Amino acid sequence: MSSQDKMKGQCSNCGWVTRRKFKNMERKPCPKCGGHVVFHEDDIETARTIAILSIVGMAVIGILFVSLGIAEW
């Protein structure tokens, strides 16, 4: 896995910076102090874009499934 697949995160307690996958950013605590790791300000816009596109994609798929009769409303 290359570093391009990972996003920059920062510990909210000690400020330690790491690179993690999007889905693992908030799951694992900081290895130094055990604090909460959040998205670094350099990658916050990218994280928001990924989250918004995921939500829109799920909504579109849900509407498609309902319109095709695969799922019931």
Side-chain angles (χ1 to χ4, degrees):
M1 172 173 295
S2 68
S3 65
Q4 293 176 348
D5 297 338
K6 298 180 180 180
M7 302 182 84
K8 199 185 271 187
Q10 184 173 11
C11 177
S12 59
N13 291 340
C14 68
W16 183 73
V17 177
T18 183
R19 286 203 166 273
R20 296 182 179 183
K21 283 185 163 183
F22 181 83
K23 68 178 184 176
N24 292 334
M25 187 63 68
E26 296 179 353
R27 289 185 184 173
K28 300 177 184 177
C30 174
K32 292 192 175 205
C33 71
H36 187 68
V37 178
V38 295
F39 289 99
H40 194 272
E41 56 194 33
D42 293 345
D43 286 340
I44 195 75
E45 289 301 319
T46 305
R48 284 184 185 150
T49 303
I50 291 171
I52 290 169
L53 289 176
S54 297
I55 292 169
V56 169
M58 288 188 301
V60 168
I61 289 173
I63 292 169
L64 181 66
F65 277 22
V66 169
S67 67
L68 293 175
I70 297 171
E72 293 183 18
W73 185 257

